[in-house]
Amino acid sequence: MVKGFTELRKEGTEAHRENLKRSFVNLSELSVLAVNSKYKIMGLITLSGMEFFAYHGCFAEEQIIGNKFIVDIEFNTNTENAELTDDLSQTVNYQTVYQIVKVEMEIKSKLLEHVARRILDAIYKKFPDLISTRVMVTKMNPALGGKVDRVSVTLSGKV
């Protein structure tokens, strides 16, 4: 019969204490194992629902009146260093990404494709080590001559 943690603790013998010590993983050993592992840990970072009021559209009225837009971004990147060090400089800074999107959304464009491409290009310029990125730009209540909740354009980029 295998003794439980509480029983081993109560017995208090040196042998049992050594067995308990061996049964727990040392965090520093785990870090070394992760760094020396044969596989890469990839992270998916997502910024969802960034809302902007902007002036994109083919109609002159759209570029005067404006509309609500939502931007979603996903990044595939190696997050291993950030996981092990808890250091922001070792990963994609979400605030920087938001600022990039905000700047690009402030530039008037006729097409959502153009906006999404500018965002994608600006992100890759700032974070060249990204493995892949997906940007979705959504226009709420587009002027299409009927009831439409939203229209979206999604672009993906890969290194």
Side-chain angles (χ1 to χ4, degrees), residues 37-143:
S37 67
K38 293 182 180 181
Y39 60 92
K40 292 284 186 195
I41 298 174
M42 303 312 293
L44 174 64
I45 298 172
T46 305
L47 280 78
S48 300
M50 293 180 278
E51 282 190 31
F52 301 93
F53 194 85
Y55 301 88
H56 308 307
C58 291
F59 299 118
E61 296 84 8
E62 292 177 295
Q63 294 205 351
I64 295 169
I65 297 169
N67 202 346
K68 181 172 135 182
F69 293 83
I70 298 172
V71 179
D72 301 306
I73 299 180
E74 289 182 352
F75 307 101
N76 283 298
T77 187
N78 184 337
T79 58
E80 192 170 28
N81 288 338
E83 294 162 21
L84 297 173
T85 65
D86 199 28
D87 181 358
L88 180 60
S89 70
Q90 298 297 312
T91 190
V92 175
N93 184 324
Y94 318 145
Q95 186 175 22
T96 302
V97 172
Y98 179 85
Q99 292 303 320
I100 289 170
V101 174
K102 181 180 177 191
V103 165
E104 295 303 327
M105 289 300 292
E106 290 172 351
I107 302 168
K108 287 184 183 182
S109 293
K110 292 178 183 172
L111 303 176
L112 296 181
E113 292 86 344
H114 186 65
V115 177
R117 179 58 184 261
R118 284 198 328 263
I119 292 169
L120 199 61
D121 289 346
I123 287 170
Y124 271 114
K125 183 177 180 180
K126 180 67 178 174
F127 301 103
D129 293 332
L130 294 174
I131 293 163
S132 66
T133 305
R134 186 182 71 81
V135 176
M136 181 168 68
V137 178
T138 300
K139 183 177 194 173
M140 304 305 293
N141 303 308

